[in-house]
Amino acid sequence: MSPTPQWVKDLKPSPPQGTDLVQTEREKSKVSVDKLSNFLFTKEVLERQERILNILEAEKVFDKSQNYFDGRVDRFKTALARAKRLRQLQVKHNWNRDEYMVANELISEPGPYGLHASMYLTTLRDQGTPEQHKLFLEPAESYKAIGCYAQTELGHGSNVRGLETTATWNPEDKTFILHSPHLTASKWWIGSLGRTANHAVVMAQLIIGGKPYGPHPFVCQIRDMKTHEPLDGVHVGDIGPKFGYNTMDNGFLLLNKLKIPHINMLARFSGVDPESNKYIKPSSPSLIYGTLTWVRSAIVLQSGGVLARGVTIATRYAAIRRQFQDRDAPSDANGENQVLNYTMVQYRLLPLLAATFALHFTGKAMMGLYQENQKRMNSNAGKGSDSNRGAGPEETHSGNDMVADLHATSCGLKALGSTTAAEGLEVCRRACGGHGYSSFSGIGTWYADYLPTTTWEGDNYMLTQQVARYLLKSARAVLKGTAPNNDTTRIFTTFLQKQDMGAAHDVLGSDADLVAAFAWRTSFLTFEALKHRDIEKNSWNSLLVDFWRLSTAHSQYLVVKNFYEALQSESLRYELDPVTIDVMHKLFRLYALDTLQKEASEFYSSAAVTVRQIQLARTKTVMKLLEDIRPHALKLVDAWSFPDWQLDSSLGRKDGKVYEDMFYRASELNPLNGLTIDPYPENATLIKKDDTANFKSKL
């Protein structure tokens, strides 16, 4: 392809220009972007992001201009080079864990060190003893050993108890023998395992004297530390191309009677006494799955930001893209209408915009709950099961009750948060029209990379059973008068006390009543499910759909409750101006009422609201909220503070130069345009001239 002629370079989009449109949009709103950004993230976090962004942009290896063009092998090589440089920068600038994660988020692609820096280090840190920290964690933190977390198998994913890999205790030489007895025992989908890791935390069924004790974590070296070749008895490799996530080397692992020392079983909570050969039982079986709980909590925390990227791109493009004239405009009106002015587009995008804030505040609350639980576990570590008792200022349930609450909450919110984000990204992509299908939109690749989140760390449908089990157990305890004092049991108690009187929630006039209506629906569905299970004796399998609905309802209640509580905080009134606070309250009501009207049958059948309230919410209130929020849409997405470099999107450019950027990428950066082909079928020649290297040399 010949160089782009000057007359092409001189062309501009037809007016009005995107830069003018976004400027006009922002002038419509008095929302304070800076104040809202600081409220969401803090000024310190935003300054840290800016500082790290400047460092990354100066590094050639992080140039993103070929991201959408390279094939898988080249993308993996680039990702590996970036991962190595990122670690070098971490050492050079003495970045802490949070700063390193900020850099990862800005780069915005799964890297070969991803599972090492997250699940491997977290598992060693949270489940290892001080001796094991010295032996395994310290070299891992200095990247002298690179690890991963090997749980999922070819034949088992969500059913952790069904894992086939075994770890058999050998009392003769005080070792564990790790073995893959079947093909389906192969570890599969393990991030960083395919080509990168030389160690793995392997989740395997502990067997002592022929008796199984369930899955436990074992540290296992899998590759030679110098040659990086697999050790004897280890068969390991990459599982191949995927729907997305192709910069990560997800791997398989088979072990053939591989011996590891006694010290390699992570033993903070459970272990094997090498002298008596007896199993040391954990105070709570759930403690074994601490890493999964952390990951699920992190997924909840990230879900709002994940969705916000798609909403930011789609909203900015909808403010620039113009299609058709308003049918009710004066006959002499000129110009096409901004797509964001159409209520059908608002109805698709603005509730998702509200959801980004709802998930953000819920994620912060979820991570706070996890950290509180970690503090309790740390203070009680090594004291035995009876000492894991204690209550905070408001909660009078035991430490084990808190673990159960955290586990159920993380399962439910992980399922709801990641489903909302994944499905919302596709809505955003489609809201961009035909250009949403282009990689340059920045949504498709992001969606494909995020999509497995709905499956890994527990399939979202499967996880809802964990939530239902917890809610049914809590309901039974309330009925018996033996329930711990926590939010779940309190809303159940309130429901039982008031069910004969009716709910009488003023959901259209009171934010607090809106939250109470969600709590009422959860309580109703819980006691209905309990009746089906305990009184009618229905099988567990026959109730799975009911349990999914129950988990969804409970998780939606938690999201609405956390959003509401965030808006009641002292910091909100201190940090935000009245206009921005008013808009935030409207976003809360939009999220809650939009969810209510979409789940209308359950709210009505539970008597949480009336038919009239549902009708008004659907036809009046939600539509009025869309109209009120519409002028602020651009500033609200701006408050998420995504740099253009991070979004890597033509359609989501902050300056509005959408069409210029899209044409530039297609014309100037696309290596395929460097091929001159022979188009005739009778000729054996395929390529007449190959100038693809010239496109990459422009970098």
Side-chain angles (χ1 to χ4, degrees):
M1 179 178 174
S2 58
T4 303
Q6 189 60 44
W7 65 268
V8 173
K9 294 181 179 180
D10 291 340
L11 289 174
K12 292 183 178 181
S14 60
Q17 299 303 308
T19 50
D20 297 330
L21 287 168
V22 294
Q23 180 181 345
T24 301
E25 279 294 318
R26 292 183 174 113
E27 289 172 351
K28 292 178 183 177
S29 172
K30 292 185 179 180
V31 164
S32 173
V33 173
D34 290 340
K35 287 182 179 179
L36 183 53
S37 296
N38 290 340
F39 178 70
L40 292 172
F41 307 109
T42 74
K43 186 177 181 181
E44 178 189 3
V45 167
L46 294 171
E47 289 175 347
R48 179 174 64 195
Q49 175 180 277
E50 182 66 22
R51 171 170 49 83
I52 293 173
L53 175 64
N54 291 334
I55 293 171
L56 297 179
E57 285 186 307
E59 297 282 338
K60 183 179 179 181
V61 72
F62 297 118
D63 180 274
K64 296 187 177 186
S65 56
Q66 286 299 304
N67 276 9
Y68 296 132
F69 302 108
D70 285 343
R72 192 194 174 202
V73 172
D74 284 339
R75 287 218 66 194
F76 177 75
K77 289 179 180 178
T78 300
L80 180 59
R82 289 172 175 171
K84 289 190 172 190
R85 183 57 184 154
L86 189 60
R87 170 58 186 168
Q88 293 164 8
L89 290 172
Q90 182 184 21
V91 174
K92 177 181 178 180
H93 296 286
N94 195 29
W95 286 344
N96 59 28
R97 184 181 180 186
D98 289 340
E99 290 169 317
Y100 180 81
M101 295 309 295
V102 167
N104 258 315
E105 289 169 4
L106 289 169
I107 295 169
S108 295
E109 69 179 15
Y113 292 159
L115 271 289
H116 170 84
S118 57
M119 292 186 72
Y120 185 66
L121 292 181
T122 299
T123 306
L124 295 180
R125 192 177 293 116
D126 290 353
Q127 302 200 42
T129 64
E131 183 183 5
Q132 290 171 328
H133 286 172
K134 186 76 174 175
L135 187 61
F136 302 122
L137 180 60
E138 289 184 11
E141 288 179 327
S142 63
Y143 283 68
K144 302 302 181 186
I146 310 297
C148 59
Y149 182 81
Q151 177 169 293
T152 300
E153 295 178 351
L154 186 58
H156 285 90
S158 298
N159 183 17
V160 179
R161 294 182 182 276
L163 295 177
E164 298 173 30
T165 303
T166 58
T168 304
W169 172 246
N170 184 359
E172 296 178 3
D173 58 4
K174 310 299 181 186
T175 63
F176 294 100
I177 302 172
L178 296 182
H179 185 58
S180 309
H182 311 102
L183 183 65
T184 45
S186 172
K187 296 299 180 182
W188 201 267
W189 287 111
I190 312 304
S192 304
L193 172 65
R195 308 310 304 156
T196 307
N198 47 41
H199 282 73
V201 169
V202 176
M203 288 295 286
Q205 299 283 358
L206 173 63
I207 298 175
I208 306 172
K211 180 180 177 180
Y213 287 84
H216 287 72
F218 299 85
V219 179
C220 175
Q221 183 180 338
I222 55 176
R223 287 184 170 100
D224 185 273
M225 300 300 286
K226 291 184 178 180
T227 67
H228 204 60
E229 296 294 335
L231 300 180
D232 291 341
V234 175
H235 185 55
V236 61
D238 181 85
I239 64 171
K242 306 169 289 281
F243 186 82
Y245 227 73
N246 283 305
T247 50
M248 173 67 79
D249 54 327
N250 295 86
F252 63 79
L253 174 68
L254 284 166
L255 303 169
N256 185 28
K257 299 177 181 177
L258 184 71
K259 283 193 174 186
I260 59 173
H262 172 266
I263 189 66
N264 285 41
M265 178 182 178
L266 295 180
R268 181 182 175 193
F269 301 117
S270 62
V272 176
D273 188 318
E275 302 305 322
S276 66
N277 302 314
K278 299 292 185 181
Y279 178 59
I280 303 170
K281 188 178 180 181
S283 59
S284 168
S286 300
L287 296 175
I288 297 296
Y289 308 120
T291 301
L292 278 180
T293 303
W294 175 82
V295 172
R296 288 169 185 156
S297 299
I299 288 171
V300 177
L301 182 63
Q302 294 162 358
S303 60
V306 166
L307 177 59
R309 284 181 61 146
V311 173
T312 296
I313 292 167
T315 301
R316 286 176 176 170
Y317 183 48
I320 294 167
R321 181 184 176 210
R322 290 168 292 121
Q323 295 283 308
F324 307 105
Q325 285 186 333
D326 188 330
R327 285 178 176 269
D328 297 319
S331 58
D332 60 347
N334 294 318
E336 295 174 292
N337 200 16
Q338 287 171 277
V339 168
L340 192 54
N341 288 335
Y342 291 109
T343 55
M344 195 64 241
V345 174
Q346 296 170 20
Y347 186 72
R348 292 150 72 190
L349 290 182
L350 298 188
L352 290 177
L353 174 59
T356 64
F357 293 99
L359 291 173
H360 174 77
F361 295 124
T362 300
K364 291 176 72 172
M366 177 75 245
M367 193 54 75
L369 182 63
Y370 172 81
Q371 291 167 350
E372 181 185 349
N373 181 65
Q374 287 300 108
K375 288 179 182 178
R376 291 197 183 197
M377 288 168 56
N378 289 335
S379 65
N380 291 319
K383 295 180 182 179
S385 59
D386 288 338
S387 66
N388 282 338
R389 304 285 170 181
E394 298 179 0
E395 307 291 315
T396 59
H397 55 303
S398 72
N400 286 345
D401 288 326
M402 187 174 188
V403 170
D405 186 53
L406 173 64
H407 174 68
T409 303
S410 69
C411 286
L413 289 177
K414 182 269 179 183
L416 179 66
S418 60
T419 296
T420 301
E423 293 179 353
L425 286 174
E426 172 61 6
V427 172
C428 292
R429 186 194 67 77
R430 293 173 65 180
C432 292
H435 290 331
Y437 194 64
S438 169
S439 291
F440 303 154
S441 75
I443 298 177
T445 303
W446 183 241
Y447 169 71
D449 283 349
Y450 184 74
L451 198 55
T453 310
T454 63
T455 304
W456 64 32
E457 319 317 336
D459 173 80
N460 281 1
Y461 289 101
M462 187 69 65
L463 282 179
T464 60
Q465 294 184 57
Q466 304 288 332
V467 185
R469 184 177 290 111
Y470 167 75
L471 293 175
L472 294 184
K473 183 178 179 181
S474 297
R476 292 187 189 105
V478 168
L479 292 173
K480 292 177 182 178
T482 60
N485 178 25
N486 58 39
D487 180 71
T488 301
T489 58
R490 285 193 289 271
I491 66 170
F492 288 173
T493 301
T494 300
F495 173 79
L496 292 175
Q497 291 170 346
K498 295 184 177 181
Q499 61 177 335
D500 292 335
M501 297 181 288
H505 297 122
D506 181 18
V507 294
L508 300 179
S510 166
D511 288 358
D513 272 20
L514 197 45
V515 177
F518 276 80
W520 187 276
R521 168 193 174 216
T522 295
S523 302
F524 173 83
L525 292 176
T526 299
F527 285 102
E528 281 291 293
L530 189 65
K531 179 180 71 174
H532 296 325
R533 180 63 175 166
D534 288 5
I535 298 175
E536 298 172 2
K537 304 298 183 184
N538 287 300
S539 69
W540 188 264
N541 186 52
S542 70
L543 296 173
L544 292 183
V545 176
D546 288 347
F547 293 158
W548 166 68
R549 290 182 177 133
L550 171 57
S551 174
T552 301
H554 179 61
S555 300
Q556 287 172 341
Y557 156 67
L558 291 175
V559 173
V560 169
K561 173 176 171 283
N562 283 308
F563 198 172
Y564 172 77
E565 290 179 349
L567 298 185
Q568 309 309 308
S569 67
E570 287 293 330
S571 59
L572 176 107
R573 290 186 286 274
Y574 176 74
E575 296 181 40
L576 298 183
D577 57 276
V579 170
T580 306
I581 291 174
D582 180 63
V583 173
M584 292 301 293
H585 278 280
K586 287 177 178 177
L587 286 168
F588 162 76
R589 294 191 63 76
L590 177 60
Y591 175 78
L593 288 171
D594 181 67
T595 302
L596 185 151
Q597 57 111 0
K598 287 175 179 175
E599 308 283 0
S601 63
E602 290 179 3
F603 280 92
Y604 173 68
S605 62
S606 68
V609 297
T610 65
V611 172
R612 181 61 177 160
Q613 287 174 319
I614 293 171
Q615 289 173 332
L616 288 173
R618 178 172 292 166
T619 60
K620 300 289 185 182
T621 312
V622 167
M623 299 309 297
K624 182 63 169 64
L625 287 167
L626 295 178
E627 180 184 341
D628 290 346
I629 293 169
R630 158 68 183 90
H632 308 289
L634 221 60
K635 281 196 169 182
L636 289 170
V637 298
D638 287 348
W640 279 91
S641 298
F642 291 115
D644 282 342
W645 191 84
Q646 181 180 11
L647 291 178
D648 196 16
S649 166
S650 294
L651 305 186
R653 282 183 64 120
K654 188 175 182 179
D655 63 6
K657 293 184 177 180
V658 166
Y659 300 117
E660 299 95 321
D661 190 79
M662 181 165 266
F663 194 88
Y664 173 76
R665 290 179 190 243
S667 178
E668 300 291 326
L669 300 180
N670 185 358
L672 190 61
N673 287 326
L675 291 181
T676 302
I677 69 160
D678 186 307
Y680 303 109
E682 62 271 18
N683 293 344
T685 301
L686 296 178
I687 307 299
K688 288 179 174 290
K689 186 169 64 172
D690 187 342
D691 289 331
T692 54
N694 291 338
F695 285 81
K696 292 194 176 185
S697 69
K698 294 178 182 179
L699 307 182

